[in-house]
Amino acid sequence: MVVTGATSGIGRAAARAFAERGDRLVLAARSPATLAEVRAECAAAGAQALDVPTDITADGAVDALADAAVDRFGRVDVWLHTAAVMAYGRFEETPARVFEQVVRTDLLAAAAVARVALRRFQAAGGGTLILVGSVLGHITAPYLSGYVASKWGLQGLGRVLQQEARDTPGVEVCLVSPGSVDTPVYQRAANHLGRLGRPPLPVTTPERVARAILDCADRPRREVSVGRANVVMRVGFTALPGVYDVLVGPLMRLLALTDRRTPPRDGVVFAADPSSEVVRGGWLPDLGQLARAVGGLPGAVGSALRRRPW
């Protein structure tokens, strides 16, 4: 099992889950120190694990990672790709270099991983590629232009790869699309909006997403959605686009942004921050936040509808 993005959030939760059932692991991420911690966690669970510090946006890095995996374990059976970064800001106010690095990391590097993994699978006679996308690969939300564009691109790429894999027996491509997850990606994001982000309710755990990933590794499926609100959002986006567009801005500001102010910053878009590399972001449980958010919904919706030029 190769896991890219193994030092925090969903990737780290999945690495632990793979280790607990005895899978052999190759762990990759940018931070050597945190990667060594994850390797130690997996070893404590009884798994063989190799840590390979890797910046997947660097030329040749993914090939080198695959070579290390094959040198150590002989082949790659499953490649899980979870690495992603995020940036908050209005599109025109987000620096081009930040937008482009988000797309480079979340889409182009994912394509590089897919290219290398699929070639290895074809040579070995089979294998499973699991790409972690997002419900934002099916819908849109303001202030996340680079992330949304990347996840839409990843969704399209994944579907193309699934279609092409039909011609290659033994090769499987899976998409796992979570909604809001309690990971540190929101605190670690670049921010040119002035307000810190948070996962909008309802929020699920990274461990739940990890279980869906392990299920795909054992029983590959085209796509697995993880999140109770995903279907509702997708139906609203598709069936009621006018209403969706009226409501998504106020709801985003109410549910997906905190009141905490922040100066412009690049977060972990360009460099790792080992101090913030953990599985959970600390968003669950927060019953006070839940009560305030739910209590503010009627006013936000009513205000948005009153401003709508019907």
Side-chain angles (χ1 to χ4, degrees):
M1 310 288 181
V2 176
V3 182
T4 39
T7 51
S8 67
I10 294 169
R12 191 165 183 170
R16 290 176 174 176
F18 279 131
E20 287 169 359
R21 66 183 202 173
D23 291 323
R24 298 182 297 175
L25 290 161
V26 178
L27 308 166
R30 292 179 295 182
S31 172
T34 312
L35 206 54
E37 291 178 6
V38 181
R39 177 182 52 77
E41 293 171 0
C42 294
Q48 298 181 55
L50 172 68
D51 54 317
V52 184
T54 304
D55 180 350
I56 57 171
T57 66
D59 291 342
V62 180
D63 277 305
L65 173 60
D67 288 341
V70 173
D71 288 346
R72 175 67 179 271
F73 294 118
R75 61 176 288 157
V76 176
D77 297 299
V78 174
W79 195 312
L80 167 64
H81 180 68
T82 70
V85 294
M86 183 184 288
Y88 287 93
R90 293 181 63 88
F91 172 71
E92 71 276 13
E93 295 173 358
T94 301
R97 62 183 180 82
V98 173
F99 179 92
E100 290 166 6
Q101 185 67 11
V102 170
V103 174
R104 186 174 295 114
T105 303
D106 295 1
L107 178 57
L108 299 183
V113 165
R115 185 177 298 111
V116 171
L118 291 174
R119 287 174 178 169
R120 300 284 175 149
F121 293 159
Q122 290 165 359
T128 300
L129 172 65
I130 304 174
L131 300 171
V132 175
S134 169
V135 69
L136 289 175
H138 295 278
I139 65 173
T140 59
Y143 317 126
L144 292 169
S145 54
Y147 188 81
V148 171
S150 299
K151 292 302 183 180
W152 274 70
L154 185 63
Q155 183 71 26
L157 174 64
R159 288 296 301 274
V160 170
L161 298 182
Q162 289 170 345
Q163 293 160 359
E164 294 179 353
R166 295 174 66 86
D167 301 326
T168 311
V171 174
E172 303 284 351
V173 179
C174 307
L175 283 162
V176 175
S177 300
S180 295
V181 185
D182 181 21
T183 76
V185 68
Y186 309 92
Q187 297 100 317
R188 290 158 53 84
N191 198 303
H192 295 271
L193 188 63
R195 290 173 61 185
L196 292 175
R198 66 185 176 200
L201 298 168
V203 183
T204 193
T205 66
E207 291 83 2
R208 183 184 173 197
V209 183
R211 289 194 294 271
I213 289 168
L214 265 65
D215 191 47
C216 279
D218 295 335
R219 298 184 301 111
R221 283 172 286 170
R222 285 164 49 114
E223 184 171 3
V224 177
S225 177
V226 184
R228 292 186 299 274
N230 290 9
V231 172
V232 174
M233 290 187 290
R234 290 175 62 175
V235 169
F237 180 83
T238 303
L240 299 167
V243 174
Y244 180 95
D245 286 352
V246 168
L247 298 180
V248 68
L251 293 178
M252 181 74 177
R253 291 186 289 271
L254 178 67
L255 298 177
L257 297 174
T258 71
D259 293 330
R260 293 175 58 193
R261 311 302 296 186
T262 180
R265 65 181 194 183
D266 289 341
V268 298
V269 169
F270 294 98
D273 175 16
S275 67
S276 65
E277 292 176 324
V278 292
V279 173
R280 292 202 179 194
W283 302 104
L284 288 174
D286 187 342
L287 299 181
Q289 174 183 310
L290 173 62
R292 290 191 297 272
V294 171
L297 276 175
V301 171
S303 177
L305 290 175
R306 286 192 297 272
R307 291 197 302 269
R308 175 76 165 103
W310 297 100

